[in-house]
Amino acid sequence: MANKTLFSSALARFLPRADTVNEAGGKAYAYGPEALLAQLAATGTLSDGFYAHAEGQLAKALEAARAVDPLWVAKCAVYARQSGAMKDMPALLAALLSVVEPDLMVPVFRRVVDNGRMLRTFVQIMRSGQVGRTSLGSRPKRLVREWLENASIRQLMQAATGNDPSLADIVKMVHPAPASAERRAFYGWLIGKPYDVAALPAEIAAFEAWKADRSRPLPDVPFEWLTAFDLTPKQWAVMAERMGWQALRMNLNMLARKGAFQIDGVTQAVAARLADAEAMAKVRPAPYQLMTALGQVGEGVPLLVQAALETALDASLARVPKLEGHVVVCPDVSGSMGSPATGYRKGATSVVRCIDIAALVAAAMLRSNPQTRVLPFEVDVVPLKLDPKARVAVNAAKLAGVGGGGTCVSAPLALLNREKAKVDVVVIVSDNESWLDPSRRGATATMNEWTRLKARNPGAKLICIDIQPYGTAQAKDRKDIMNVGGFTDAVFDTMARFANGTARDWTQVVNEVEIGMN
């Protein structure tokens, strides 16, 4: 048999040359315009990252969007919102379509702007001038008005939580036509104009009455409206019943501080809500959000509630695929992975780090396939023993607690080659800012090491999960290599489809998004 090392070395000469330098100064491959926009849409939060600033991210996103077909912009916007659970980037792309392809903007708006927060974000971006206009314009104004007119009173109340712009600002801009006396009274109350008190929605009337007399029952309004008031533990217990699922997850420590869990039955009720599979199916919390909630719960949060969070985490990972064969997962644990996953933003920086997401992916795959090998890496592979039977949160915390050095994405592949390991699927979870790799023959070290590995394992596939919007990769897309961006459970689905051969690459998955024009 021919010498595999010799012939893999010869083949390496024909590998694609690295065509750019990443933010860390290492050799890399630039994404093409379509892949770049998809990656930015799925990971971009328009906030400062470890290597790049928000302004640069915005400029890169707009440049990429203008370089592709508007239909692709529309598909990326819908994918990012509905599969990637992103906020700012889908709103930005919808706003851009209002300038470059107004007809496409209509169906995209209706699928992307699905709550009050998204409505406010869209209006803010439209008025900022970043997409080429400083006003809404007739068609966007009509769509915003349509959203307001079709929203329920409860949806409008939720939308009225937040500023810059506030819902009152938006109502003043677009002048929605109230279809009922109740709606007319609500708009008047919202913007500070005269209104018919008798026609107010019951919830708003109760809120105004309660503000005048705090002995009344707690009004059924968004809990954010009430947090500025001095509430009793019993009132906080009522709040715990009324909060949305995500708000409940995020405010467990506050409920503990305010004494809500001291009220009989509250602990059991909160635990039941958090573990409710039907409620989770509607909300679809990201697994990393639940892991973070587990890591942040204080001593005052009852153990029963903490156990319910673990149940919720396991349920959120039910869709993690079991990849067949010899699977290796390589989470990047280098220094840059300690940065917030959604970037730095004054007053709103996420506590979820990139390393937390990488660790969770690895721990989840180990849970679904106990034979999975986990190779965390920074400058080199970091030795770490994990128990496949341990709770996902335990293994994820172990992984997130190691590392901190430079980045060498090729390190785990080099180790597998030194071991002459048998491999079917390799999954690398990283920010792709590799700079310590030894580079040869124009290709990145990752491509060179993958070529050596493929010489021994011709059917092997490489999946690179990119969780930061920097726009470069260490491996070039081809039939055995896929780069996918994002950090929600949609990535697991895409990964499974590629591994079993039902998807060529990530752009194919995004391209399957249908945009109706009616």
Side-chain angles (χ1 to χ4, degrees):
M1 180 178 288
N3 186 315
K4 291 184 178 180
T5 301
L6 172 64
F7 282 93
S8 67
S9 298
L11 181 61
R13 297 190 181 94
F14 301 99
L15 291 175
R17 296 179 62 86
D19 54 15
T20 192
V21 174
N22 62 28
E23 300 286 352
K27 281 188 174 183
Y29 298 103
Y31 286 122
E34 290 191 348
L36 174 60
L37 184 62
Q39 195 252 358
L40 286 166
T43 62
T45 57
L46 301 179
S47 300
D48 292 341
F50 187 86
Y51 291 104
H53 296 295
E55 292 81 2
Q57 189 184 134
L58 173 62
K60 187 183 293 185
L62 292 174
E63 181 182 3
R66 290 182 173 118
V68 300
D69 188 284
L71 181 59
W72 183 253
V73 177
K75 289 175 181 287
C76 287
V78 173
Y79 176 87
R81 179 60 186 157
Q82 296 190 337
S83 296
M86 300 300 286
K87 301 177 181 69
D88 293 354
M89 198 63 74
L92 173 68
L93 297 181
L96 180 64
L97 284 171
S98 73
V99 176
V100 300
E101 192 64 54
D103 288 341
L104 264 177
M105 185 267 295
V106 175
V108 170
F109 176 95
R110 288 170 178 161
R111 295 178 64 183
V112 163
V113 180
D114 52 11
N115 60 36
R117 176 174 176 172
M118 290 300 296
L119 183 76
R120 295 197 314 273
T121 301
F122 175 80
V123 172
Q124 179 188 20
I125 291 172
M126 288 291 293
R127 298 179 69 202
S128 71
Q130 293 290 353
V131 299
R133 62 195 311 169
T134 56
S135 63
L136 288 181
S138 58
R139 195 174 316 202
K141 184 178 289 187
R142 174 174 59 81
L143 288 169
V144 171
R145 188 185 303 119
E146 177 186 279
W147 190 96
L148 293 171
E149 292 170 351
N150 290 332
S152 66
I153 290 296
R154 175 60 61 172
Q155 288 173 318
L156 290 172
M157 289 166 60
Q158 292 290 348
T161 303
N163 296 294
D164 300 323
S166 66
L167 184 65
D169 295 330
I170 294 174
V171 168
K172 291 174 185 177
M173 281 181 227
V174 303
H175 306 292
S180 66
E182 180 187 61
R183 189 66 61 106
R184 183 178 295 104
F186 173 80
Y187 288 146
W189 171 85
L190 182 70
I191 65 177
K193 296 290 186 180
Y195 59 89
D196 180 359
V197 175
L200 272 180
E203 300 93 334
I204 304 298
F207 178 55
E208 291 298 320
W210 177 82
K211 287 194 296 182
D213 179 4
R214 305 289 176 77
S215 66
R216 288 174 172 269
L218 203 65
D220 187 11
V221 295
F223 84 95
E224 295 91 344
W225 295 13
L226 302 171
T227 54
F229 297 96
D230 186 18
L231 305 179
T232 67
K234 285 188 176 180
Q235 289 174 319
W236 278 102
V238 173
M239 296 262 278
E241 295 176 5
R242 294 178 179 174
M243 284 181 188
W245 197 95
Q246 289 281 38
L248 182 63
R249 168 188 67 81
M250 296 169 64
N251 288 279
L252 294 174
N253 288 332
M254 179 183 287
L255 292 173
R257 288 195 305 270
K258 300 298 184 178
F261 292 119
Q262 298 172 14
I263 306 302
D264 288 345
V266 172
T267 295
Q268 292 76 11
V270 169
R273 285 192 63 199
L274 289 174
D276 185 349
E278 186 176 335
M280 283 190 61
K282 293 179 181 177
V283 177
R284 287 191 64 186
Y288 72 84
Q289 294 175 324
L290 292 164
M291 187 182 72
T292 302
L294 265 172
Q296 287 187 318
V297 290
E299 293 182 359
V301 178
L303 292 178
L304 185 64
V305 174
Q306 296 183 40
L309 273 178
E310 289 210 33
T311 299
L313 175 59
D314 286 340
S316 74
L317 294 168
R319 297 175 61 191
V320 176
K322 180 177 180 180
L323 303 182
E324 299 299 328
H326 298 81
V327 179
V328 182
V329 184
C330 311
D332 182 350
V333 295
S334 63
S336 62
M337 293 288 285
S339 62
T342 55
Y344 299 94
R345 184 179 296 183
K346 187 176 180 179
T349 297
S350 170
V351 298
V352 182
R353 301 169 300 166
C354 296
I355 195 171
D356 296 320
I357 293 172
L360 182 60
V361 171
M365 293 191 65
L366 182 65
R367 182 70 172 270
S368 67
N369 184 357
Q371 302 307 312
T372 295
R373 186 177 180 188
V374 180
L375 298 178
F377 69 92
E378 43 164 67
V379 174
D380 206 341
V381 173
V382 180
L384 185 68
K385 186 174 180 60
L386 300 175
D387 180 4
K389 297 180 181 178
R391 291 178 289 119
V392 169
V394 170
N395 279 335
K398 280 187 179 180
L399 283 164
V402 301
T407 311
C408 183
V409 170
S410 63
L413 298 177
L415 175 64
L416 294 171
N417 283 328
R418 289 195 297 271
E419 296 176 347
K420 295 181 171 51
K422 182 171 177 55
V423 175
D424 294 298
V425 180
V426 176
V427 180
I428 296 176
V429 193
S430 173
D431 62 1
N432 266 338
E433 294 306 295
S434 196
W435 58 280
L436 282 171
D437 313 68
S439 297
R440 298 173 298 173
R441 303 184 188 89
T444 62
T446 299
M447 283 299 290
N448 278 303
E449 292 293 349
W450 181 247
T451 300
R452 291 181 58 200
L453 188 146
K454 285 283 288 185
R456 296 190 321 277
N457 303 278
K461 291 188 176 183
L462 174 63
I463 301 170
C464 302
I465 301 176
D466 194 349
I467 55 179
Q468 287 288 272
Y470 295 134
T472 62
Q474 286 297 298
K476 194 80 169 176
D477 278 330
R478 62 187 196 190
K479 66 180 182 179
D480 62 326
I481 301 174
M482 178 180 69
N483 288 285
V484 55
F487 35 78
T488 67
D489 56 3
V491 171
F492 292 130
D493 295 336
T494 304
M495 183 170 60
R497 290 185 56 187
F498 180 75
N500 65 27
T502 57
R504 296 188 309 275
D505 54 42
W506 183 38
T507 55
Q508 178 190 352
V509 175
V510 177
N511 197 46
E512 290 173 357
V513 172
E514 294 185 3
I515 306 294
M517 294 297 291
N518 49 16

